[in-house]
Amino acid sequence: MRMTVPTPLGDIAVRCLDPVPGARPEGDPAPAGAPALLLLHANPGDGRDFDAVLPALADRYRTFVVDWPGYGDSTAPEPARVTPEGLVGVAERVIDALVEEQGVREVAVLGNSVGGYVACRLAEGPRAASVTALVLVDPAGFTRQTALTRWFCREVMGRPARARRLVVPLARAYLGRLGTPSARETYARARELPHDAKRLAVHCALWRGLADPDFGFVDPAGLDLPVLLLWGRRDPVVPVLLDGRRARRMLPAGTSSVRLPTAHEPYNERPGLFLRHVLPFLEDPRAVTASRLRLPSRPRSR
């Protein structure tokens, strides 16, 4: 089932998946009153980037997968207006629609990259009462702002003439080994981006927005909900030793942190390992105790 949510930045496509038989033992019924989960993807990309982990998540949760404006099946009549702060407003409209059309009162939010930034901002803003837990996957927003980072966001990745030459090699780096069908399909979509003027314009507008004076959190240390922070130790976009450490310092003391042997999108690169951490957390977020950023011992193969 799909839902369309009108917003000032475009009509937003949301895939709606109810729990269905699959990962549960045969004959075990779907959970009654299953909790809700909202998935927010990175830039560039779309909701299909989560396809490798979606069956396991949708097996347990009412799962809602957003396409950001201009990506997937969502529209963006004015691509240059799509900013990270604008995505926060889009996500708020999506939550309102989930309340009105799907009867969702509370939702856990899983976000990657700019989607992780939006997830944090949702938990700080007027929809905070609806957000029960956060799963932040290599989230944006924790990079220290300098003249160099602002220049890179505005003048390199924020300019279509320059960005179109860098989008594909950067995607090849942040997707890691391309060892799964999902990762290869995500990479194939990224290879189309330089030839799609509207999607490229959205991509660049979001990068420019990262250098905007209004970009940033209110007080991430004050978040009053369970948080799971996952970071790929080989992430070339937001390095774990810089951004990951800063995120750990800025987020609440009770945040559970895990370093994974992946790049920027662990759900694409190592879906089984990703789910080993995410599913127990979502099952009982407040039961997960805080731990320092670490590499799991004896990681299982996907």
Side-chain angles (χ1 to χ4, degrees):
M1 173 184 170
R2 287 186 180 271
M3 178 172 72
T4 300
V5 181
T7 79
L9 296 183
D11 292 337
I12 304 305
V14 183
R15 269 193 291 171
C16 310
L17 298 97
D18 284 327
V20 295
R24 292 185 306 277
E26 187 174 353
D28 199 14
L37 175 65
L38 180 65
L39 303 185
L40 306 176
H41 66 83
N43 173 46
D46 60 47
R48 291 173 292 179
D49 296 353
F50 292 109
D51 279 358
V53 297
L54 194 55
L57 295 173
D59 188 69
R60 296 160 174 82
Y61 304 97
R62 298 186 65 193
T63 305
F64 302 94
V65 189
V66 171
D67 288 340
W68 289 132
Y71 290 134
D73 292 325
S74 294
T75 66
E78 299 177 71
R81 293 183 57 215
V82 181
T83 65
E85 296 309 309
L87 297 187
V88 176
V90 165
E92 290 175 348
R93 295 287 185 104
V94 169
I95 287 180
D96 291 344
L98 295 182
V99 171
E100 295 168 7
E101 300 181 29
Q102 301 290 328
V104 171
R105 301 300 174 188
E106 294 182 330
V107 62
V109 185
L110 187 158
N112 172 225
S113 199
V114 72
Y117 171 77
V118 173
C120 268
R121 295 279 283 108
L122 285 174
E124 292 182 322
R127 305 305 186 279
S130 298
V131 180
T132 60
L134 297 179
V135 179
L136 307 178
V137 186
D138 298 61
F142 294 100
T143 301
R144 191 178 298 279
Q145 289 278 5
T146 67
L148 179 60
T149 60
R150 287 191 292 269
W151 171 81
F152 181 77
C153 291
R154 288 174 179 160
E155 303 301 328
V156 180
M157 299 308 293
R159 303 298 175 195
R162 294 170 177 168
R164 69 165 40 93
R165 296 195 295 268
L166 297 175
V167 165
V168 175
L170 184 59
R172 181 63 188 86
Y174 68 66
L175 287 170
R177 298 179 301 155
L178 299 184
T180 66
S182 175
R184 291 190 291 272
E185 289 161 10
T186 298
Y187 180 57
R189 290 190 289 271
R191 292 185 64 182
E192 297 170 359
L193 185 63
H195 312 291
D196 186 327
K198 179 165 283 192
R199 286 177 63 209
L200 183 63
V202 170
H203 168 271
C204 292
L206 284 168
W207 272 96
R208 291 194 301 272
L210 299 178
D212 193 277
D214 293 332
F215 176 74
F217 304 112
V218 177
D219 178 21
L223 292 174
D224 185 22
L225 78 173
V227 181
L228 173 62
L229 178 67
L230 300 174
W231 218 291
R233 64 174 177 168
R234 293 185 282 101
D235 191 332
V237 181
V238 282
V240 67
L241 295 181
L242 297 176
D243 301 71
R245 285 180 175 175
R246 193 158 187 257
R248 187 62 189 87
R249 290 195 299 268
M250 293 175 65
L251 287 166
T255 297
S256 180
S257 302
V258 180
R259 183 189 295 185
L260 298 174
T262 66
H264 191 59
E265 297 189 5
Y267 49 87
N268 251 328
E269 190 176 353
R270 297 287 298 275
L273 180 61
F274 177 81
L275 290 168
R276 280 179 52 206
H277 293 284
V278 171
L279 291 178
F281 174 80
L282 291 175
E283 183 175 351
D284 192 355
R286 294 199 178 274
V288 177
T289 57
S291 59
R292 65 183 178 86
L293 203 64
R294 67 190 187 279
L295 180 68
S297 59
R298 297 178 62 85
R300 300 174 188 172
S301 64
R302 64 179 188 278

